[in-house]
Amino acid sequence: MVVARVPFIAGNWKMNLDHLQAVAFVQKLHWALKDAKHDAASVEVGVFPPYTDLRTVQTLLDADKIPFALGAQDLSTQDAGAYTGEISGAFLAKLHCGYVIIGHSERRQYHAESDDVVAAKVQAALRHGLVPVICVGETAEDLEKFGASAVPVGQLEVALEGVPADADIVVAYEPVWAIGSGQAATPEQAQDVCATLRRVVGDKLGADAAARTRVLYGGSVKSGNIASFMREPDVDGALVGGASLVVDEFAAIIRFQKHVGV
Ligand code: 13P
């Protein structure tokens, strides 16, 4: 069975753009894509603002019927209670978030998030009907010691523990050495690891899940290299950091189809 996977271009704003800047950004992006006759059915666009922007962005998306998906950058393993500073998946679902990034390397690195915490967060997302965007990737040191796939495969195997076969998930391969470095993986490297991660999804959740699950590449994606990644059969989109903060650049990444095969 051949399943068409709608490409997903997701902008992870990280700790950038306050709620006023977020409104201006989303409006400008919408206009930029309207002018270009961007076809909302051929590519899904997602924005992942800081928590404090979510309410404002959600209101704008709903009011103006802007067809962007909304996601958060993290969530708590817990649903409610005495967890100061934490944000429940229940709150995110109420704000019409469809997605939540889990296990980003910056969470793993600066907040010591273990694979087990990541797995608990995946479960928390699924409890609230949020699609987890599960981030995995190797550091430069891992790459040297173990090659590209070993660490991301191990991370994904733990994250998928207890995930039902029919769960809607997204996997993002983000080599840590490529994030914010201007040094993207080659399309061949991205394809190799994304294909391997798809096999892990297949082993854990079955063939249907492997065929349907979108596997993204992230790390120094720009308008100039997106087409080369999207030509690869197992790369279904991109998780974009820095370039998702520049309207024209992000719009050009979203319109990548125009460049494919040119
Ligand atoms: P850059 O696109 O800035 O390299 O960041 C990638 C990333 O971490 C997205 O989650």
Side-chain angles (χ1 to χ4, degrees):
M1 183 180 62
V2 179
V3 180
R5 296 183 293 267
V6 176
F8 188 24
I9 302 295
N12 174 10
W13 296 1
K14 308 190 180 184
M15 198 171 70
N16 295 292
L17 305 185
D18 63 34
H19 73 288
L20 299 174
Q21 294 168 319
V23 167
F25 182 91
V26 169
Q27 279 173 332
K28 283 185 196 156
L29 181 64
H30 183 47
W31 292 331
L33 294 171
K34 257 186 166 166
D35 291 350
K37 296 191 176 59
H38 147 247
D39 174 8
S42 67
V43 54
E44 183 177 7
V45 178
V47 289
F48 291 74
Y51 287 133
T52 48
D53 299 2
L54 286 173
R55 176 71 166 137
T56 337
V57 172
Q58 173 243 330
T59 305
L60 173 64
L61 297 181
D62 289 355
D64 289 4
K65 298 194 170 43
I66 298 176
F68 301 164
L70 182 64
Q73 298 174 14
D74 188 26
L75 86 174
S76 174
T77 57
Q78 306 297 318
D79 295 341
Y83 301 99
T84 302
E86 293 290 285
I87 299 290
S88 165
F91 305 161
L92 301 178
K94 277 217 172 125
L95 285 179
H96 303 179
C97 284
Y99 295 91
V100 58
I101 293 172
I102 296 178
H104 192 279
S105 63
E106 288 148 17
R107 300 290 318 169
R108 294 178 189 263
Q109 186 181 349
Y110 303 133
H111 302 271
E113 266 186 25
S114 65
D115 290 346
D116 289 340
V117 168
V118 169
K121 289 187 172 186
V122 170
Q123 293 299 322
L126 295 176
R127 277 199 299 281
H128 297 290
L130 301 163
V131 176
V133 178
I134 304 170
C135 298
V136 296
E138 81 288 359
T139 63
E141 205 185 340
D142 296 332
L143 180 65
E144 197 156 299
K145 274 199 206 145
F146 312 114
S149 295
V151 167
V153 163
Q155 290 172 334
L156 186 59
E157 282 174 345
V158 178
L160 293 181
E161 279 306 321
V163 170
D166 62 353
D168 210 355
I169 60 166
V170 172
V171 175
Y173 168 52
E174 297 207 308
V176 181
W177 49 268
I179 294 176
S181 66
Q183 167 85 57
T186 65
E188 296 74 23
Q189 285 170 322
Q191 163 60 22
D192 257 17
V193 181
C194 289
T196 305
L197 295 173
R198 190 179 304 287
R199 279 196 291 278
V200 173
V201 173
D203 291 345
K204 289 272 175 192
L205 308 184
D208 283 359
R212 143 185 112 239
T213 296
R214 289 175 295 179
V215 182
L216 314 182
Y217 166 76
S220 297
V221 170
K222 298 182 173 41
S223 60
N225 61 20
I226 184 67
S228 63
F229 288 113
M230 295 308 296
R231 274 191 207 106
E232 299 295 340
D234 287 291
V235 179
D236 302 315
L239 186 53
V240 186
S244 78
L245 298 168
V246 182
V247 172
D248 290 345
E249 181 64 7
F250 195 47
I253 291 172
I254 292 163
R255 286 192 237 104
F256 64 85
Q257 289 98 331
K258 229 172 71 179
H259 310 288
V260 173
V262 172

